[in-house]
Amino acid sequence: MVGQVRDGSLEPQEESALHVIATWRDPDGALLRPAVAAVELLNVLRPTVAVSVFMTSAAHALHEHGDWQHKLREDQGNLEPFVQEVRRFYPFFPAVAARSTKDFRWRDYHFPQGRRILLDLTGTNSDPRTWDAPGEFRPDRFQHWNGNAFTFIPQGGGSHDTGHRCPGEWIAIELMKAFCDFLVGSITYDLPDQDLSIDLSSLPALPKSRVVISRIRRRTSLRHDRIEVPAD
Ligand code: HEM
């Protein structure tokens, strides 16, 4: 596809990731090698598709905590606290790994050069020293959250600007908000009998049956700013 954009046989929209990456030029004016451009494109596509795991978790949470369906429908200001709590509560990416480039001490720990280090994302997001009742699903904890970059780290911690923290975090949050808004505001559905238990030993930790919905119907009282469900 990168080759097709370059020879003109494919004309994606200018603001699309495919167009931007295929036509990107470095400071010397050179295009990316096709293989490199293809990997860059996959680096946008792959994590975007991965957000479906958090969406499944959000659908699971809306079922387990049905009162939040109403709260999200009534006030879109509740969407962000809700999806933040989904990202905190449901373990998706359990840990990130690194290797120390130099010998150093941090607090009482010695890190020899070359040592493999794991940062426990799930453990940090549910650390009782930081979170009140971490095992409970309580979106309200994010109504007045202080934004600490080291205590809530579902997509990596620290600074987005100077470290490797996930730059797609805002995209993931916005996709989840749009999905939840659609689920509670634009359609009604049933949940047939299924196994919604979560096996924490699998990665990603999803409900055994995923979340299967049936008898999907368009909501009759659509708000004007909600996504329309096509009639068919
Ligand atoms: C399902 C939601 C996602 C999860 C759980 C997730 C998780 C992560 C994690 C744990 C890291 C490594 C952070 C670190 O090393 O400290 C990362 C890096 C990265 N993520 Fe995400 N991510 C998600 C969605 C996205 C999206 C939607 C995009 C972009 C469209 C994206 C793009 C990236 C990139 C480019 C990096 C590498 C950053 C770097 O090395 O400097 N991610 N992500």
Side-chain angles (χ1 to χ4, degrees):
M1 290 174 83
V2 169
Q4 287 173 340
V5 174
R6 288 177 179 175
D7 69 22
S9 56
L10 189 63
E11 292 179 14
Q13 289 182 340
E14 286 218 346
E15 65 275 20
S16 67
L18 174 59
H19 187 274
V20 170
I21 291 168
T23 59
W24 180 263
R25 290 185 183 273
D26 70 16
D28 301 325
L31 292 167
L32 295 170
R33 282 193 291 115
V36 173
V39 168
E40 291 294 349
L41 186 59
L42 287 174
N43 281 347
V44 176
L45 290 178
R46 187 182 42 189
T48 305
V49 172
V51 180
S52 63
V53 173
F54 271 148
M55 289 176 174
T56 308
S57 302
H60 186 272
L62 279 171
H63 175 66
E64 297 281 307
H65 310 279
D67 51 324
W68 278 89
Q69 297 185 14
H70 179 70
K71 289 181 189 170
L72 299 189
R73 207 174 295 128
E74 290 308 300
D75 181 359
Q76 289 187 308
N78 282 327
L79 284 166
E80 185 141 335
F82 181 81
V83 304
Q84 292 290 49
E85 181 67 345
V86 169
R87 295 196 316 134
R88 187 196 71 80
F89 186 82
Y90 288 84
F92 174 0
F93 224 103
V96 283
R99 200 178 286 283
S100 56
T101 52
K102 58 181 184 206
D103 192 272
F104 68 99
R105 285 196 88 75
W106 177 77
R107 302 202 172 162
D108 290 332
Y109 296 94
H110 175 223
F111 294 82
Q113 183 178 7
R115 170 64 52 85
R116 169 78 72 195
I117 300 159
L118 292 178
L119 171 61
D120 182 352
L121 304 184
T122 303
T124 307
N125 293 340
S126 53
D127 190 330
R129 289 171 297 183
T130 320
W131 302 99
D132 193 23
E136 290 178 21
F137 186 84
R138 291 189 193 168
D140 284 331
R141 66 174 90 237
F142 283 100
Q143 296 285 9
H144 304 288
W145 176 53
N146 64 14
N148 188 312
F150 297 94
T151 54
F152 178 48
I153 55 173
Q155 294 176 227
S159 162
H160 292 95
D161 297 335
T162 55
H164 287 279
R165 187 178 185 136
C166 176
E169 212 161 1
W170 301 281
I171 297 175
I173 292 169
E174 291 307 315
L175 287 172
M176 290 171 72
K177 282 164 63 178
F179 172 75
C180 291
D181 193 37
F182 175 79
L183 216 49
V184 301
S186 297
I187 57 171
T188 62
Y189 54 87
D190 294 344
L191 247 79
D193 272 351
Q194 55 194 294
D195 185 353
L196 290 173
S197 63
I198 297 177
D199 177 5
L200 293 180
S201 67
S202 67
L203 175 66
L206 282 162
K208 291 224 175 71
S209 53
R210 309 302 196 248
V211 178
V212 179
I213 60 175
S214 63
R215 291 203 346 115
I216 301 162
R217 286 140 289 165
R218 183 209 296 252
R219 251 179 206 283
T220 40
S221 59
L222 275 181
R223 278 201 349 224
H224 68 281
D225 55 345
R226 288 225 151 92
I227 302 165
E228 285 281 347
V229 186
D232 55 351

